[in-house]
Amino acid sequence: MSEGVSIVGGGHAVFGKRKESGLRDLAHEAVRDLFNTTNVSKSDIDATVIGVAGDGFNGQGSPAAVINTELGLHGLPTIRVESACATGTAGIISAYNMIKSGLRDAVLVVGAEKMTSISSGEATELMARAGDLRWEFPFGVSFPGYYALIASAHMAEYGTTREILSSIGVKNHYYASKNKLAHIRKEVSLEEAMGAIDIASPLNLYDCSLISDGAAAVLLTKDSIAKKFTDTPISIKGIGQGTDTMMMAQRESLTELKGAQRAAKEAYAMAGVTAADINLATVHDCFTIAELIAMEDLGFYKKGEAGQAVLDKQTYHDGKIPINVDGGLKAKGHPLGATGVSQAVEIRKQLLGEVESERQVDGAVRGLSHNVGQSGQFVNVLIYERSDL
Ligand SMILES: CC(C)(COP(=O)(O)OP(=O)(O)OC[C@H]1O[C@@H](n2cnc3c(N)ncnc32)[C@H](O)[C@@H]1OP(=O)(O)O)[C@@H](O)C(=O)NCCC(=O)NCCS
C-alpha cells in the first residue's frame, strides 16, 4: 500500500471586507503565513492546487495562473479546482490524490476568494446562478432561500425553534470574537440574534454567513518526507465525498443532506473510526440550520436530537463535541474558495494546541471538517489526526 499523506504547514489571511487587498494579495498573505511558520522553501514544492469558486466577483479569469505567478511559483504545475463552496476541500483532495498516486511529493493548496468588490445584491445573484438556471434561478430563489426551505422543513418535522437556530449564531459569534482571523469579532446576545431583521424567513441576519474576502493555504506531503518540514505532521486519515440532485425539488427529504451522510460514512470507514471518536469538527454553517443538520448528518446526534444539544451548549469548546469554535462561516466568514482550506488550517492548529486559549479544545487528537457546495450538490468530509502522541 502507498504511504500516507500529511499536512505539514498551514497559513491564513485575515478574513473580512479587505478593501485594500485583491485576490492575489489575499493568497499571498495566507502563503506568507505558511512560509513564516513552516520549515519550507519554494524549491520543496512540486505543484500547486488553487481553489477559487467564482469568476465574477472581481472579474479576474484564470485565477490559478495569477496566484501561482504572485507566489513566484510559475513554472511549477498548477491546476484550478472549483466545487462551489466546497472548492477548498476539493483542492485538498486533489493534492492528496496527486501525492498518493506517486505523481508528486509536496503540493501547496491555496483557497481564495475576493467577494466584496461587488455589492451584496450582485454577489447574491452570482451565487444564485449556481442554482438550476432553468428551473430555480428564474423564479428568484437564492441561497438564503434554499436554506430557508430546509429550516422550515426541519422546524415542521422536528420542532426546531427560533431559539435553537439563534443559539448557533450566538455561539459562532462568541468564538469569532476570540479569533484574530475572523471577519466579525463581535459577540451577539440571544435577544439580538432572535430579534434580527429577516433575510429569508425563517432565517434572519444572525442565521446567515458573511460575504467575505480571504484566503488560506496548506502544504501536503507524503509521510516519509513530512518530518523535514515539521515535528508534528497532521495525517489525513479519512476522505469522503457525496453529491445530490441539482434541484431541491428532486430531493426525497429537505431535512438532511444525503451527500453529507454518504461522505461521512466513507470518511469514517477510511479512517477506521466512528463519530464518537471525533474530538472536534468544523462544519459548513453557511446558515445556522446547516450546522444543525450537519450535526445529524455526521452522526454526532440522531435526527431531531441536535437542537437540544445546541441548547445544552454541547458544541462549545468544552462540550461533548465542539463545533465551529473558530466562529464558523457565520462569523469567521465565508470567502467561498478559502473556506474548506480554512477549516483544515483551524483543525490542524487545534490538534497542535496553537489556537487562542478561550477556544482551544484541550487534548484533541482527531478532527473532522465538513464542507458543502451549494445546497448539498457537493459534500466533502475529511478526518485529520495527530499521530505523534
Ligand atoms: C445577510 C446579508 C444579505 C447581509 O448583507 P448586507 O445587507 O449587504 O450587509 P452589509 O454588508 O451592508 O452590512 C451591514 C451590516 O451588517 C453586518 N452584516 C452583514 N452580513 C452579516 C451577517 N451575515 N451576519 C451578521 N452581520 C452581518 C455588517 O458587518 C454591517 O455591520 P456594520 O454596519 O456594523 O458595519 C449577507 O451577509 C448575505 O447574503 N449572507 C449570506 C451569504 C451567502 O449566501 N453565502 C453562500 C452560502 S451557500
Side-chain angles (χ1 to χ4, degrees), residues 12 22 35 66-67 86 200 204 253 264 266 273 296 326 349 353 383:
H12 208 289
F35 270 76
V66 174
I67 291 174
N204 72 29
S253 163
E266 215 174 72
V273 300
E296 298 175 346
D326 57 352
K349 278 194 184 172
I383 295 173

Side-chain angles (χ1 to χ4, degrees), residues 17 85 120 124 127 143-144 147 173 184 199 205-206 208-211 286-287 330 334 336 374:
K17 262 193 186 174
C85 306
S120 298
T124 301
M127 290 187 276
F143 275 93
Y147 280 89
H173 271 276
I184 293 194
I199 298 296
L205 183 68
Y206 287 110
C208 298
S209 58
L210 292 155
I211 296 176
C286 48
F287 299 92
K330 170 72 208 74
H334 183 26
L336 312 182
Q374 301 167 227

Side-chain angles (χ1 to χ4, degrees), residues 89 93 237-242 259-260 262-268 270 369 371 379-383:
T89 44
I93 294 169
K237 286 289 185 191
I239 295 178
Q241 294 183 274
R262 183 188 193 284
K265 197 171 162 199
E266 215 174 72
Y268 289 138
M270 181 174 161
S369 71
N371 189 200
V379 188
N380 300 324
V381 172
L382 274 74
I383 295 173

Side-chain angles (χ1 to χ4, degrees), residues 58-362:
N58 65 2
Q60 174 66 65
S62 200
V66 174
I67 291 174
N68 223 29
T69 307
E70 172 69 21
L71 299 176
L73 296 173
H74 45 281
L76 288 184
T78 191
I79 56 165
R80 179 207 181 163
V81 294
E82 184 277 305
S83 297
C85 306
T87 290
T89 44
I92 296 176
I93 294 169
S94 302
Y96 177 97
N97 289 336
M98 287 176 184
I99 297 169
K100 197 73 180 163
S101 68
L103 184 66
R104 311 282 174 213
D105 292 340
V107 181
L108 176 71
V109 182
V110 184
E113 209 77 51
K114 171 74 190 173
M115 298 179 76
T116 69
S117 308
I118 55 176
S119 70
S120 298
E122 289 166 324
T124 301
E125 179 184 336
L126 200 62
M127 290 187 276
R129 287 179 178 276
D132 191 289
L133 216 51
R134 180 177 292 173
W135 296 114
E136 291 177 328
F137 179 78
F139 301 99
V141 64
S142 63
F143 275 93
Y146 287 118
Y147 280 89
L149 290 173
I150 295 174
S152 299
H154 210 279
M155 284 171 153
E157 276 181 49
Y158 298 104
T160 296
T161 60
R162 168 77 270 148
E163 184 183 355
I164 292 171
L165 297 184
S166 294
S167 298
I168 294 172
V170 168
K171 169 182 66 74
N172 293 355
H173 271 276
Y174 168 75
Y175 283 114
S177 78
K178 313 290 178 208
N179 183 349
K180 63 180 188 323
L181 300 169
H183 182 155
I184 293 194
R185 299 194 60 191
K186 186 183 83 158
E187 286 189 52
V188 292
S189 67
L190 186 60
E191 294 67 37
E192 243 180 300
M194 289 180 71
I197 186 173
D198 271 345
I199 298 296
S201 180
L203 301 179
N204 72 29
L205 183 68
Y206 287 110
D207 292 309
C208 298
S209 58
L210 292 155
I211 296 176
S212 313
D213 305 326
V218 285
L219 179 65
L220 270 59
T221 71
K222 59 181 183 180
D223 280 350
S224 57
I225 62 166
K227 285 275 171 85
K228 177 179 170 201
F229 303 97
T230 175
D231 292 337
T232 47
I234 300 297
S235 306
I236 298 182
K237 286 289 185 191
I239 295 178
Q241 294 183 274
T243 61
D244 210 329
T245 58
M246 182 64 183
M247 280 200 297
M248 296 279 278
Q250 295 168 305
R251 308 262 170 104
E252 282 166 34
S253 163
L254 284 182
T255 59
E256 59 199 5
L257 299 185
K258 295 268 187 223
Q261 293 169 355
R262 183 188 193 284
K265 197 171 162 199
E266 215 174 72
Y268 289 138
M270 181 174 161
V273 300
T274 68
D277 300 311
I278 302 298
N279 303 128
L280 85 149
T282 51
V283 310
H284 198 94
D285 61 322
C286 48
F287 299 92
T288 51
I289 183 64
E291 178 164 322
L292 192 77
I293 62 170
M295 290 164 66
E296 298 175 346
D297 287 338
L298 294 168
F300 297 140
Y301 295 94
K302 294 200 178 92
K303 282 234 57 108
E305 293 183 7
Q308 189 56 48
V310 167
L311 296 176
D312 293 343
K313 295 193 178 330
Q314 292 182 15
T315 51
Y316 277 67
H317 75 290
D318 51 358
K320 184 175 166 227
I321 173 71
I323 292 180
N324 289 339
V325 297
D326 57 352
L329 286 56
K330 170 72 208 74
K332 181 181 69 177
H334 183 26
L336 312 182
T339 287
V341 185
S342 168
Q343 292 176 323
V345 172
E346 162 69 9
I347 298 274
R348 173 177 177 272
K349 278 194 184 172
Q350 282 278 359
L351 300 185
L352 296 177
E354 288 179 357
V355 307
E356 293 86 349
S357 57
E358 301 98 318
R359 53 185 208 85
Q360 178 68 52
V361 179
D362 288 333

